[in-house]
Amino acid sequence: MACRSRLAPVLRRAGASGLARAANPTAGASLNALRCIATTPARQIRASRSRQAKFTSDAYPEIKRDARFAEITADHVAYFRELLGKETALIDGVTGEVAADDMEPYNGDWMRKYRGHCKLVLKPGSTQEVSKILKYCNDNMLAVVPQGGNTGLVGGSVPVFDEIVLNTSRMNQIRSFDDVSGILVADAGVVLEVADQFLAEKGYIFPLDLGAKGSCHIGGNVATNAGGLRLLRYGSLHGTVLGIEAVLPDGTIVDDLGKLRKNNTGYDLKQLFIGGEGTIGMITAVSIQCPQRSHAVNVAFLAGESYEKIQQVFREAKSQLGEILSAFELMDLKSQQLVQKVRNSNSPLEGEHPFYCLIETSGSNSEHDSEKLEKFLEDVMTKEIVTDGVLAQDETQLRSLWSQREGIPECLGHWGGVYKYDLSIPLEDLYKLVEDVREKIDAAGLRGDTDDFPVVDVVGYGHMGDSNLHLNVAVRRYDKRVEQVLEPFVYEWIAKVSGSISAEHGLGLAKKNYIGYSRSETMVALMKQIKNLYDPVSNSLLRPVQMYTTDTPWRQNGIMNPYKYV
Amino acid sequence: MACRSRLAPVLRRAGASGLARAANPTAGASLNALRCIATTPARQIRASRSRQAKFTSDAYPEIKRDARFAEITADHVAYFRELLGKETALIDGVTGEVAADDMEPYNGDWMRKYRGHCKLVLKPGSTQEVSKILKYCNDNMLAVVPQGGNTGLVGGSVPVFDEIVLNTSRMNQIRSFDDVSGILVADAGVVLEVADQFLAEKGYIFPLDLGAKGSCHIGGNVATNAGGLRLLRYGSLHGTVLGIEAVLPDGTIVDDLGKLRKNNTGYDLKQLFIGGEGTIGMITAVSIQCPQRSHAVNVAFLAGESYEKIQQVFREAKSQLGEILSAFELMDLKSQQLVQKVRNSNSPLEGEHPFYCLIETSGSNSEHDSEKLEKFLEDVMTKEIVTDGVLAQDETQLRSLWSQREGIPECLGHWGGVYKYDLSIPLEDLYKLVEDVREKIDAAGLRGDTDDFPVVDVVGYGHMGDSNLHLNVAVRRYDKRVEQVLEPFVYEWIAKVSGSISAEHGLGLAKKNYIGYSRSETMVALMKQIKNLYDPVSNSLLRPVQMYTTDTPWRQNGIMNPYKYV
């Protein structure tokens, strides 16, 4: 797999910048290999692990199956089999025998935190098929879970009970691309990396990048409003997505797949599906504005004595690198120590430093970019804002440096499990939370180097350029005592600084009950109103206004991704 | 007024690029003066004109006043007077005498196309006051029109009958600014230019710029999803607006004014207010992500032999200027001839050329930018893609070149009136529409140089970088024959190429009946469902789900900006 190879066809030496060279230049190969693992389909990672996840229904006994939903019968299966035609479009654990290995990838998440009892997976091949499936499910009170690459972290794309999985993997065609405007139209099931490689050949880049790019589907990315590594540069999907095709639970096709950069004709309804996590409809295609791919990409890896120093680096980077800054990532020492321990590798820098940051620039002129970056690096070195640093001299080193950041989530899971928090916090307070949590964990005597302690370590890293912290607690085993220290402490802390309990991962099942820490009662009520407009849980007089588009009687039953979200 | 002065503190000569210098360097002063007029508050422009606009109710006799709405009484006025306290917060034409000059600026638009019968203007000073006003209006069936700077082009911000005008001009405070993240929070009534000047002092820029910046309010910009001159670079408001505070017709305050770049906790409801044109609620404050202000700004003005050549210039500009390209504007010869005729000035280039484009770059390093731009200009000259061109050598020339583009709308009105169309069209077809319309106008014998002909000329210009054409037909008088040639021809043409009948101006009253040319029946039905969710026109069993946030009985009556939008 060519990791990031198209991103950096030309890399130049930055010249005599006074910076240290990579301390371990031979580390490149092993690091690259690890980065490639990080983009391997989730199911392969999961298959390589032996421990089976607990059923969600056991882990969350307070969640009861909604008795309004029908049990799937042989008649239902027969309908879907007839509709979809192909044998490969259906995994039937209702009327037939299915090997556990065939069903498990759809029933569980790659973190092994959630596991459902799904007996039927449908893989429609077209929007029309999705429409017919949803209409049938709605008419027959069958609950469904839309699912893309299933790389989420909050249990949003896996069933809780016996919901039918509607998987997008067979809807994987690029529909059109305009190489003057850069507008791509593609099915929801196109893998992010496939879309990006297609665009690379045209000189464009997908305006979203994240660790799971080798597995995640762009429909899922949009449904969860994925943020990722380059939001700092290209903005959020709310700005870059130009059109969406989606299917409502009653089968109505929302044909909002415009290919126009500007279209001010009415409410921008597609926005409700961006980050709607499949609760009001299923996205079947996306139209998106893609920027030109940069000819030049540079990466620097710097160390600072304190979080305050890293904030200064960020300010200087914004000011001096301006329009070419494409990523600014934070890593603390603990996160790097764990990565090196798991990989048995060395740090790119000599010695140990309390904080690290990775800076990426992307631009159209490699000489100009190198000059800007070199000047910036000299400046932050001279002013002693950073204590050490390295600039990638070739593509191997570039990938190796990125791997120090992108490898963290995978490495942290090495000891058994990770409590993961994905948080938005005003920049100046961002790292304080990690210190506070570590202090509380230590005060409770839960962290240590031996098996007696559940907690391996408390680390912080993330997209500092977006004020987005990933607080991770690596553990040897999940332990109620750890959970009691973490919650509701973390959420209360976030509420106090007006942060967000979910910056980019979404709500799913994991954060459904905690939305009140980031949203007011009014906002939650207004959100429930939207859910009830498209997919209400009761078919009473509180039904929304009549739909004008269909002659069939109105019927909507809360079938879309139940038990989750708001 | 300092026009654009903060944008370009440093401008350098591009060196020997082989390009012509400005043909008329002394033209700077008069052009600047004209540009300043273009950003003068709309009411001053209007006051200087003698012709009174027709009442909308006369121009559109098919629109009848909705009899459900109450007439404003002395009791209503007394309530508002008590609530708002200050005499200056209310213009009362109900119980008192009001000079026509005092009421007209709120009753009509600056194009003199729409004119209402409003007798009461309210200028609340806080979100709480807006909430109380709307609740009272909702309870008493009083229709309202939210109004900002009233610079719109589709009649969206002026009353049709006796709707109460809710003007944001007294809500004009900047609430906060974070100079690390660049996040600005400001009241809806802050004038765009004031916000931008505030940001300029901090080294930031408002991510939106348009000709009416001296008058328009940022709340109105967001409510109409304004596009403007730099969408190409900074993206749409759907991406840059991070939070909104708004008031629903029942008085509920939508407290979605987050200051976080990422917040994936539920449906992104604020998006419905962006481009909602005040039909489901009134925006009272906005939180927005502002980019760093560029140290270097360069402007080039180029000529091409054909529209195809200008497309080639655009392709090359995207490729060679990449991340520093901040505007790409198209102007045809006719538009430039009319500007020069009205201003009695010369073109920046010698001779006449069928097409012109204006290219702006903004970056952090003036030497790098000049080098990129110079190389690009040499390339397009050498390849004979452009036939002539000029590069601004100082700030006066920069403003003068921009004025050639920004002055078009104002100059076209010189003869009496303009039929204006704001359209999104796939790039390759974009100019064909202007040719087709000109041909049809000529075939009908309507265009000529004397008073016998209603049409002065048919011109095309616009934000080519966003595929956004402004088709303008300058006329000596509004004439039914011209209208019959234009409509529905233009809209049918747009529907055929899957364009948009309103790229950035919105629907308002002007395009309410034409949305079907750009949106399917399903989409329009779904939009009506949203309108009816928040502000339904009948209080029947079709009411939406119960709001959970208020103890008062539910009552909503379609009071928000009636007769317009969808």
Side-chain angles (χ1 to χ4, degrees):
Chain A
M1 191 188 303
C3 295
R4 206 173 292 278
S5 62
R6 293 179 192 285
L7 250 185
V10 181
L11 273 176
R12 291 165 180 277
R13 287 176 60 108
S17 65
L19 291 170
R21 295 279 171 265
N24 181 3
T26 59
S30 63
L31 297 180
N32 290 340
L34 267 165
R35 185 182 182 285
C36 286
I37 286 173
T39 62
T40 299
R43 80 185 65 171
Q44 290 181 29
I45 292 172
R46 191 172 40 243
S48 70
R49 294 172 176 182
S50 54
R51 196 165 60 79
Q52 185 73 282
K54 237 177 159 173
F55 281 115
T56 306
S57 55
D58 293 334
Y60 294 77
E62 67 279 14
I63 305 177
K64 306 291 179 199
R65 184 180 182 284
D66 190 333
R68 295 178 310 112
F69 295 134
E71 307 266 354
I72 309 168
T73 66
D75 282 353
H76 298 144
V77 176
Y79 173 84
F80 293 126
R81 198 180 293 279
E82 166 85 21
L83 172 65
L84 297 175
K86 290 192 178 174
E87 203 48 49
T88 52
L90 185 141
I91 304 177
D92 169 21
V94 179
T95 65
E97 281 290 313
V98 175
D101 277 1
D102 287 347
M103 192 60 90
E104 284 304 305
Y106 306 93
N107 244 331
D109 71 317
W110 72 277
M111 292 285 294
R112 291 166 296 132
K113 279 197 174 157
Y114 305 96
R115 191 175 165 214
H117 302 271
C118 165
K119 291 179 201 136
L120 184 65
V121 176
L122 304 178
K123 299 181 182 177
S126 71
T127 304
Q128 287 301 329
E129 285 182 1
V130 173
S131 170
K132 284 176 185 159
I133 290 169
L134 283 179
K135 186 174 183 325
Y136 183 86
C137 289
N138 204 38
D139 290 345
N140 290 279
M141 283 301 285
L142 293 163
V144 299
V145 178
Q147 187 182 77
N150 199 10
T151 61
L153 288 160
V154 291
S157 58
V158 288
V160 178
F161 297 100
D162 57 346
E163 301 92 277
I164 296 172
V165 167
L166 259 189
N167 187 286
T168 50
S169 56
R170 281 185 62 237
M171 299 179 68
N172 56 6
Q173 298 301 304
I174 285 168
R175 296 194 188 178
S176 69
F177 179 70
D178 180 329
D179 66 3
V180 177
S181 68
I183 295 167
L184 174 80
V185 181
D187 286 351
V190 171
V191 170
L192 176 56
E193 194 167 53
V194 171
D196 192 55
Q197 282 172 357
F198 170 88
L199 289 164
E201 286 166 22
K202 315 280 183 184
Y204 284 85
I205 187 170
F206 203 92
L208 169 77
D209 190 15
L210 39 78
K213 72 193 288 186
S215 308
C216 61
H217 295 184
I218 59 172
N221 294 147
V222 173
T224 56
N225 189 29
L229 302 164
R230 291 193 185 80
L231 187 134
L232 173 70
R233 173 68 167 270
Y234 302 121
S236 96
L237 293 171
H238 286 291
T240 51
V241 170
L242 300 179
I244 279 180
E245 181 188 81
V247 182
L248 298 181
D250 69 354
T252 300
I253 296 172
V254 180
D255 52 344
D256 194 10
L257 197 59
K259 293 187 269 184
L260 305 168
R261 184 126 192 204
K262 290 173 164 179
N263 185 9
N264 274 357
T265 52
Y267 306 111
D268 196 359
L269 296 180
K270 68 171 181 287
Q271 300 287 353
L272 296 175
F273 297 88
I274 303 175
E277 299 186 31
T279 58
I280 55 172
M282 176 154 162
I283 295 172
T284 52
V286 168
S287 162
I288 190 161
Q289 175 79 51
C290 301
Q292 301 262 134
R293 208 169 192 92
S294 295
H295 300 305
V297 178
N298 289 300
V299 169
F301 191 90
L302 309 178
E305 279 309 301
S306 66
Y307 177 65
E308 283 63 39
K309 293 282 184 190
I310 302 291
Q311 282 186 77
Q312 279 183 50
V313 180
F314 179 52
R315 278 198 201 95
E316 292 296 335
K318 275 186 74 173
S319 168
Q320 295 185 42
L321 301 174
E323 66 280 1
I324 63 167
L325 183 64
S326 55
F328 194 103
E329 297 286 313
L330 169 77
M331 296 143 282
D332 65 5
L333 173 60
K334 297 281 180 194
S335 73
Q336 292 303 285
Q337 284 174 333
L338 296 186
V339 166
Q340 282 132 34
K341 201 167 186 175
V342 173
R343 293 178 173 179
N344 194 22
S345 67
N346 293 329
S347 168
L349 300 177
E350 281 170 20
E352 289 191 333
H353 308 267
F355 290 91
Y356 300 91
C357 63
L358 181 150
I359 295 174
E360 186 193 77
T361 64
S362 310
S364 56
N365 184 310
S366 54
E367 276 176 47
H368 290 171
D369 290 7
S370 293
E371 198 182 313
K372 284 189 184 88
L373 187 56
E374 197 178 335
K375 205 173 147 202
F376 158 76
L377 291 171
E378 273 171 0
D379 184 62
V380 290
M381 292 290 282
T382 309
K383 289 182 185 160
E384 298 185 351
I385 302 173
V386 303
T387 41
D388 199 0
V390 61
L391 184 62
Q393 302 298 315
D394 57 31
E395 198 181 318
T396 304
Q397 287 188 6
L398 181 145
R399 281 189 272 146
S400 164
L401 293 180
W402 257 116
S403 152
Q404 296 292 322
R405 162 64 187 85
E406 289 194 289
I408 300 173
E410 187 70 15
C411 290
L412 289 184
H414 175 77
W415 287 268
V418 188
Y419 292 102
K420 295 174 89 74
Y421 295 90
D422 156 46
L423 310 157
S424 273
I425 301 175
L427 207 62
E428 59 179 343
D429 301 321
L430 188 131
Y431 196 73
K432 183 75 171 62
L433 175 62
V434 183
E435 291 166 344
D436 288 358
V437 167
R438 198 179 287 141
E439 196 178 306
K440 276 184 78 81
I441 291 279
D442 284 351
L446 297 168
R447 182 168 72 122
D449 288 338
T450 68
D451 240 20
D452 299 336
F453 301 93
V455 175
V456 178
D457 227 321
V458 179
V459 316
Y461 61 98
H463 315 299
M464 187 164 158
D466 313 320
S467 287
N468 182 183
L469 173 76
H470 295 318
L471 165 71
N472 280 201
V473 181
V475 291
R476 298 185 174 87
R477 54 196 171 269
Y478 292 115
D479 187 311
K480 278 281 167 206
R481 290 173 302 163
V482 178
E483 285 158 35
Q484 279 158 7
V485 170
L486 292 173
E487 293 183 16
F489 175 75
V490 170
Y491 295 130
E492 285 170 353
W493 199 100
I494 291 298
K496 263 184 225 157
V497 298
S498 303
S500 170
I501 62 153
S502 185
E504 59 177 7
H505 294 169
L507 293 169
L509 188 71
K511 296 185 183 170
K512 176 187 169 64
N513 293 331
Y514 305 105
I515 187 172
Y517 288 101
S518 285
R519 297 286 197 175
S520 70
E521 215 177 297
T522 304
M523 289 310 296
V524 174
L526 289 168
M527 288 179 194
K528 287 186 173 168
Q529 202 183 29
I530 290 290
K531 167 71 180 175
N532 286 335
L533 178 68
Y534 291 106
D535 190 32
V537 288
S538 73
N539 194 353
S540 72
L541 287 178
L542 296 179
R543 60 181 260 190
V545 293
Q546 187 73 39
M547 275 291 296
Y548 308 98
T549 51
T550 166
D551 294 319
T552 56
W554 174 88
R555 191 164 174 186
Q556 290 165 310
N557 303 307
I559 62 163
M560 298 300 298
N561 217 357
Y563 318 112
K564 300 165 190 165
Y565 206 60
V566 292
Chain B
M1 191 190 304
C3 294
R4 207 173 291 279
S5 61
R6 293 179 192 285
L7 248 185
V10 181
L11 274 175
R12 290 164 180 278
R13 288 176 59 109
S17 67
L19 292 171
R21 295 281 171 264
N24 181 6
T26 59
S30 64
L31 295 181
N32 292 338
L34 267 163
R35 185 184 181 280
C36 286
I37 286 172
T39 62
T40 299
R43 79 186 65 169
Q44 291 181 29
I45 293 171
R46 189 172 42 241
S48 69
R49 293 170 176 183
S50 54
R51 195 165 60 79
Q52 185 71 283
K54 239 178 160 173
F55 281 115
T56 306
S57 55
D58 294 334
Y60 294 78
E62 67 279 14
I63 304 178
K64 306 293 179 198
R65 184 182 182 283
D66 190 332
R68 295 179 309 113
F69 296 134
E71 307 267 353
I72 308 169
T73 66
D75 284 352
H76 297 144
V77 176
Y79 173 83
F80 293 125
R81 198 180 293 276
E82 166 85 20
L83 172 66
L84 297 176
K86 291 192 178 176
E87 203 48 48
T88 52
L90 185 141
I91 303 176
D92 168 23
V94 180
T95 66
E97 282 289 313
V98 175
D101 277 2
D102 287 347
M103 192 60 91
E104 284 304 306
Y106 306 94
N107 244 331
D109 71 316
W110 73 277
M111 291 286 293
R112 292 167 294 132
K113 278 196 175 159
Y114 305 97
R115 191 176 168 215
H117 301 271
C118 167
K119 290 180 203 135
L120 184 64
V121 176
L122 303 179
K123 299 180 181 177
S126 70
T127 305
Q128 287 301 329
E129 286 182 1
V130 173
S131 171
K132 285 175 185 159
I133 290 169
L134 283 179
K135 186 174 181 327
Y136 183 86
C137 289
N138 204 38
D139 289 346
N140 291 279
M141 283 301 285
L142 293 163
V144 300
V145 178
Q147 186 181 77
N150 200 10
T151 60
L153 289 159
V154 291
S157 58
V158 288
V160 179
F161 298 100
D162 56 346
E163 300 93 277
I164 296 171
V165 167
L166 259 190
N167 187 286
T168 51
S169 56
R170 282 185 63 237
M171 299 180 67
N172 57 6
Q173 299 300 304
I174 284 168
R175 297 194 188 177
S176 69
F177 180 69
D178 180 329
D179 66 1
V180 178
S181 67
I183 296 168
L184 174 80
V185 182
D187 286 351
V190 171
V191 170
L192 175 58
E193 195 167 51
V194 171
D196 192 55
Q197 282 173 357
F198 170 88
L199 290 164
E201 285 165 22
K202 315 281 184 186
Y204 284 84
I205 187 170
F206 203 92
L208 170 77
D209 189 15
L210 39 79
K213 71 193 288 185
S215 308
C216 61
H217 295 186
I218 60 172
N221 294 148
V222 173
T224 56
N225 189 28
L229 301 163
R230 292 192 184 79
L231 188 134
L232 174 68
R233 173 69 167 270
Y234 301 121
S236 96
L237 292 172
H238 286 291
T240 51
V241 171
L242 301 179
I244 278 180
E245 180 188 80
V247 182
L248 299 181
D250 69 354
T252 301
I253 296 172
V254 180
D255 51 344
D256 194 10
L257 197 59
K259 294 188 270 185
L260 304 169
R261 184 127 192 202
K262 290 174 163 179
N263 185 9
N264 273 358
T265 52
Y267 305 111
D268 196 0
L269 296 180
K270 69 171 182 287
Q271 301 286 352
L272 296 176
F273 297 88
I274 303 174
E277 298 185 32
T279 58
I280 55 172
M282 175 154 163
I283 294 172
T284 52
V286 168
S287 162
I288 190 161
Q289 174 80 51
C290 302
Q292 300 263 132
R293 207 169 192 91
S294 296
H295 301 304
V297 177
N298 289 301
V299 169
F301 191 91
L302 310 176
E305 279 309 301
S306 65
Y307 177 66
E308 283 63 39
K309 293 281 184 191
I310 301 291
Q311 282 187 76
Q312 278 183 53
V313 179
F314 179 53
R315 278 199 201 93
E316 293 295 337
K318 276 186 73 173
S319 168
Q320 296 185 41
L321 301 173
E323 66 279 1
I324 62 167
L325 183 64
S326 56
F328 194 104
E329 298 287 313
L330 169 77
M331 294 144 282
D332 65 5
L333 174 61
K334 298 282 181 192
S335 72
Q336 293 303 287
Q337 284 173 332
L338 296 187
V339 166
Q340 282 131 34
K341 201 167 186 174
V342 172
R343 294 179 172 177
N344 194 22
S345 66
N346 292 329
S347 168
L349 300 176
E350 281 171 20
E352 290 190 334
H353 308 268
F355 290 91
Y356 300 91
C357 62
L358 181 149
I359 295 174
E360 186 193 75
T361 64
S362 312
S364 56
N365 184 310
S366 54
E367 276 176 46
H368 290 170
D369 290 8
S370 293
E371 196 182 316
K372 284 190 183 89
L373 186 56
E374 198 178 335
K375 203 173 149 202
F376 158 76
L377 291 171
E378 273 171 1
D379 184 63
V380 290
M381 293 289 283
T382 309
K383 290 181 183 160
E384 297 185 352
I385 302 173
V386 303
T387 41
D388 200 0
V390 61
L391 183 64
Q393 302 298 312
D394 57 31
E395 198 182 317
T396 304
Q397 287 188 8
L398 181 145
R399 283 188 272 145
S400 165
L401 293 179
W402 257 116
S403 153
Q404 296 292 321
R405 162 65 186 85
E406 288 193 289
I408 300 171
E410 186 70 14
C411 290
L412 289 184
H414 174 80
W415 286 268
V418 188
Y419 292 101
K420 295 175 89 74
Y421 296 91
D422 157 47
L423 310 156
S424 273
I425 301 174
L427 206 62
E428 61 179 339
D429 301 322
L430 187 131
Y431 196 74
K432 183 77 170 61
L433 175 63
V434 183
E435 292 166 344
D436 287 359
V437 167
R438 198 179 287 140
E439 196 178 307
K440 276 185 78 80
I441 290 280
D442 284 350
L446 296 168
R447 181 169 70 121
D449 289 335
T450 68
D451 241 20
D452 299 336
F453 301 92
V455 175
V456 179
D457 226 321
V458 178
V459 316
Y461 61 98
H463 315 298
M464 187 165 158
D466 313 318
S467 287
N468 181 183
L469 174 76
H470 295 319
L471 164 71
N472 280 201
V473 181
V475 291
R476 298 184 176 87
R477 55 196 170 268
Y478 293 116
D479 188 310
K480 279 280 166 207
R481 290 173 303 164
V482 178
E483 285 157 35
Q484 280 159 8
V485 170
L486 292 173
E487 294 182 18
F489 175 75
V490 170
Y491 295 131
E492 285 170 351
W493 199 100
I494 291 298
K496 263 185 224 155
V497 297
S498 303
S500 171
I501 61 153
S502 184
E504 58 176 8
H505 294 170
L507 294 169
L509 188 72
K511 296 184 182 171
K512 176 185 168 65
N513 293 331
Y514 304 105
I515 186 172
Y517 288 101
S518 285
R519 298 286 196 175
S520 71
E521 216 177 298
T522 303
M523 288 310 296
V524 174
L526 289 168
M527 288 179 194
K528 287 186 172 168
Q529 202 184 30
I530 290 291
K531 167 71 179 173
N532 286 334
L533 177 69
Y534 292 105
D535 190 32
V537 288
S538 74
N539 193 354
S540 72
L541 288 179
L542 296 179
R543 58 181 261 191
V545 292
Q546 185 74 39
M547 273 292 295
Y548 309 96
T549 51
T550 168
D551 294 318
T552 56
W554 174 88
R555 190 163 174 188
Q556 291 166 308
N557 304 306
I559 62 162
M560 298 300 297
N561 217 357
Y563 318 112
K564 300 166 190 164
Y565 206 63
V566 292

